[in-house]
Amino acid sequence: MIINQNKHNNLYSKYESLADMAIQREIIEKKADKRALIGSAIGVGGGFLLSLSFFRKNQPIKDIYVKNDLQKTFTNLKKYTKLDYEGKKGYIYMLFQALGAVIGGSAFACTVDKDKENRIEKIKEGIFTLSNVIIPTGFAKIVEHYTKEDSIHTRQGILKTISNNKILKNLSLLLALAVGMKTSLSVVNTINIKIIEPDDKKEKKLNPKDFITHIDDIIPILISSKNNPLSKLPLDRFLPLIYIALGKKTGSKHIYSEE
């Protein structure tokens, strides 16, 4: 990162010493971290409600309540709010929640952190986070669609072979995620270097933490077997928490952040 230190320090120019500036910067960063977490949670919640408004149009919310039957009401509420992350709808659910987390986390953090360089870092991190959700997951969804056992695409040829072989199907999904993440990284670096910050030639690199975005895809593939109870875990229910963490990370990003 190439930083104009004098320009960056203008925000803290009213402080007499470098020590005072460092203390004030730390205070601002801690406040930004807290607001990023709050904003991210609100954003994910907004994405969740937006998903419900799109795909529960024919299920009026007033029908959830059953008079004098709290258990039935709770069952209806649970069914109403349960999102299925499979297929195209699931992809849209994930997109809404990830988008809400990134926008919420960075927007709330920026109410405290007004430093231009830090805001640029949040934008770059937000682009990476969204790209790392949209592209690899999209690749995996395409492979999943074309290798379903009941798909018209799997009636003959190599797709039929893959759809009938669990190992090949899982390997194809892992390959799709790997290619998607590599593609995502290339897209992000191109945007950052060509558009966001042409003076900064440092390229973003993947690290193990970035794979957590796809935990709901990766873990079932790695442990899948008919007799393995772990493969049946509802991991997709943890996706909102993962997106909140990603949104918080985006909002907390600043020029001194470690990769």
Side-chain angles (χ1 to χ4, degrees):
M1 165 61 66
I2 298 173
I3 307 167
N4 185 332
Q5 195 64 43
N6 292 329
K7 182 180 178 182
H8 177 68
N9 287 337
N10 283 341
L11 184 65
Y12 310 103
S13 58
K14 61 182 179 180
Y15 302 100
E16 295 181 0
S17 69
L18 289 175
D20 289 339
M21 289 168 55
I23 291 170
Q24 182 61 19
R25 188 175 67 235
E26 186 176 350
I27 291 171
I28 289 175
E29 287 167 6
K30 285 182 178 179
K31 286 183 179 179
D33 286 353
K34 290 179 181 178
R35 295 205 183 183
L37 181 59
I38 294 170
S40 179
I42 292 173
V44 169
F48 181 81
L49 293 175
L50 192 60
S51 299
L52 291 180
S53 68
F54 265 78
F55 298 108
R56 296 286 192 270
K57 290 180 181 178
N58 299 324
Q59 297 174 264
I61 195 168
K62 62 182 179 65
D63 293 345
I64 293 174
Y65 176 70
V66 179
K67 191 175 181 180
N68 299 325
D69 193 336
L70 190 61
Q71 186 175 356
K72 183 67 174 176
T73 299
F74 180 75
T75 301
N76 288 345
L77 179 63
K78 189 177 179 181
K79 190 181 296 183
Y80 185 85
T81 56
K82 183 180 179 182
L83 298 180
D84 183 3
Y85 288 91
E86 296 293 324
K88 294 178 183 177
K89 284 186 179 180
Y91 185 60
I92 294 173
Y93 297 156
M94 286 186 269
L95 179 58
F96 280 163
Q97 291 181 48
L99 188 61
V102 169
I103 293 175
S106 53
F108 271 59
C110 283
T111 61
V112 176
D113 190 347
K114 302 182 185 299
D115 185 273
K116 183 180 177 181
E117 296 288 348
N118 286 348
R119 289 183 171 186
I120 290 174
E121 287 302 296
K122 297 182 201 309
I123 291 171
K124 289 164 67 176
E125 186 67 22
I127 291 171
F128 172 72
T129 299
L130 288 176
S131 179
N132 194 35
V133 171
I134 295 168
I135 297 176
T137 305
F139 281 23
K141 291 292 181 186
I142 291 171
V143 170
E144 189 179 78
H145 174 73
Y146 279 93
T147 56
K148 277 185 176 179
E149 291 180 15
D150 58 348
S151 171
I152 60 171
H153 307 290
T154 58
R155 291 177 181 172
Q156 58 185 357
I158 190 169
L159 291 178
K160 182 178 180 180
T161 304
I162 294 173
S163 67
N164 291 330
N165 188 305
K166 199 163 196 175
I167 294 176
L168 288 178
K169 186 185 288 189
N170 288 339
L171 286 174
S172 65
L173 284 170
L174 283 174
L175 181 61
L177 286 173
V179 172
M181 292 184 78
K182 183 67 177 175
T183 303
S184 169
L185 193 63
S186 297
V187 170
V188 167
N189 283 328
T190 299
I191 292 173
N192 287 343
I193 293 173
K194 299 287 186 182
I195 301 172
I196 305 296
E197 208 167 14
D199 293 332
D200 183 10
K201 301 301 181 183
K202 183 180 177 183
E203 293 191 345
K204 178 88 175 174
K205 294 181 180 179
L206 287 172
N207 63 60
K209 292 179 182 178
D210 299 321
F211 288 87
I212 197 172
T213 312
H214 309 290
I215 191 171
D216 65 311
D217 293 311
I218 294 171
I219 291 182
I221 290 172
L222 296 178
I223 63 177
S224 64
S225 72
K226 291 181 180 179
N227 300 318
N228 193 332
L230 293 177
S231 64
K232 304 299 181 183
L233 286 175
L235 293 167
D236 52 11
R237 294 182 186 177
F238 293 98
L239 281 176
L241 294 178
I242 292 172
Y243 293 144
I244 288 173
L246 291 174
K248 193 261 185 187
K249 181 185 175 187
T250 300
S252 300
K253 195 75 174 178
H254 50 79
I255 60 172
Y256 299 102
S257 298
E258 293 182 4
E259 287 293 334

